[in-house]
Structure formats: structure tokens, C-alpha cells
């Protein structure tokens, strides 16, 4: 179950505390939460991207036992990149995802995915990075042939 997606945060008023409650609820019901974190263009341009993403990660996982980290995943989705074609540079995405991994002790083995205009022509650049474990694919998943190509290139 995807929790904390930027569209839910912006359009439905989903808060960090709400994402945390849903994370606990999902885990207690045997669901695998995929927790989305990311910054706006304004937060990135004013130097607040790191602070925002670390805060979202810590808030979502507050009170979640470390032994549950293997039953969840995190997606770094820079809001300014979702569906825009303006993807985050893979080196910068890797840096942000390392920041996420280091934000809470115990996340070393937790899958962290990149979401934000990942496509067949750039997936290999992302998946080659050490802190990027895959992608959360949105628009590129709507074309079956293109998505199959993306999956091939991700390998």
C-alpha cells in the first residue's frame, strides 16, 4: 500500500502523523507499506530538501520497530519531478536516498525506490547507483511495451 504520496499529502491533507498511523496499521494487518517522501521545487531551491525528506522519513517510522523495516519500502519522489519529465539527476537521487537510509538506524537493508519521471531511457542510470533499489513507476507504466522495456533495462 502506498502511503504519503505527494498527491495525497497535497490534495487530501495527509500529514506526516497520518502517514505514521497508516504505517503502523498496514504493518499490523500484514500489508507492506511503501512510504513516499519528497520535497517540492520551492523546498529544493531554498536548500530545505534534505531537512524535509529526513523529517518525513523519521515521522513515518516513529515507533515502528526495527525488525519491521524488512516488511516495508520507501520511495524517494521529488515532487517537482513527478510526471514532469524533469527527473532528478541520478547522482543527486542516490545522495538523497543515502540520506534517507541514514535518517533512521536500521534502514540499511530496506528497499528504497526512486520515483519521479523514471523511464526506460534513464532507468539503468538510476539502478546502477548503490542506494537506489528500484523504481516506483507512474506514467511510464501505462504503456505495456514501454514498461516491459523499462523492466528489461533495469536489470
Amino acid at each position: 500500500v502506498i502511503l504519503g504520496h505527494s498527491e495525497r499529502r497535497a490534495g487530501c491533507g495527509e500529514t506526516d502523523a497520518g502517514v505514521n498511523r497508516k504505517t503502523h496499521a498496514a504493518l499490523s494487518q500484514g500489508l507492506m507499506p511503501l512510504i513516499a517522501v519528497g520535497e517540492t521545487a520551492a523546498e529544493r531551491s531554498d536548500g530545505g530538501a534534505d531537512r524535509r525528506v529526513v523529517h518525513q522519513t523519521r515521522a513515518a517510522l516513529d515507533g515502528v520497530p526495527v525488525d519491521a523495516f524488512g516488511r516495508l519500502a520507501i520511495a524517494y519522489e521529488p515532487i517537482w519531478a513527478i510526471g514532469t519529465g524533469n527527473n532528478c539527476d541520478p547522482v543527486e537521487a542516490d545522495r538523497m536516498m543515502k540520506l534517507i537510509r541514514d535518517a533512521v538506524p536500521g534502514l540499511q537493508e530496506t528497499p528504497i525506490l526512486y520515483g519521479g519521471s523514471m523511464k526506460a531511457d534513464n532507468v539503468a542510470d538510476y539502478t546502477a547507483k548503490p542506494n537506489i533499489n528500484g523504481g516506483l513507476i507512474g506514467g511510464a507504466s501505462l504503456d505495456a511495451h514501454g514498461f516491459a522495456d523499462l523492466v528489461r533495462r533495469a536489470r
Side-chain angles (χ1 to χ4, degrees):
V1 59
I2 298 175
L3 306 175
H5 192 277
S6 61
E7 291 172 353
R8 295 269 321 154
R9 290 178 189 261
C12 300
E14 189 160 75
T15 65
D16 291 334
V19 172
N20 178 259
R21 284 191 304 276
K22 289 179 179 183
T23 299
H24 283 275
L27 288 166
S28 75
Q29 296 303 308
L31 298 173
M32 179 183 181
L34 174 59
I35 302 163
V37 298
E39 78 284 358
T40 65
E43 288 167 329
R44 175 153 285 277
S45 68
D46 75 9
D50 291 11
R51 183 175 51 256
R52 178 68 178 139
V53 169
V54 167
H55 174 79
Q56 288 175 328
T57 303
R58 289 179 176 160
L61 298 175
D62 186 41
V64 174
V66 173
D67 65 356
F69 289 178
R71 296 186 292 127
L72 60 86
I74 299 174
Y76 170 57
E77 289 197 303
I79 297 165
W80 51 269
I82 298 171
T84 66
N86 298 323
N87 54 311
C88 186
D89 176 77
V91 172
E92 174 61 6
D94 186 63
R95 185 191 73 79
M96 290 296 289
M97 293 163 89
K98 170 98 168 81
L99 193 68
I100 291 165
R101 195 172 300 287
D102 293 343
V104 178
L107 288 178
Q108 287 67 36
E109 302 302 318
T110 301
I112 302 180
L113 312 177
Y114 175 75
S117 297
M118 184 182 272
K119 300 174 186 153
D121 65 350
N122 64 22
V123 67
D125 294 332
Y126 287 103
T127 56
K129 302 295 180 218
N131 292 293
I132 301 176
N133 304 121
L136 179 60
I137 312 302
S141 70
L142 299 176
D143 169 44
H145 295 292
F147 185 65
D149 188 33
L150 183 150
V151 170
R152 273 192 299 280
R153 291 181 186 205
R155 293 183 181 165

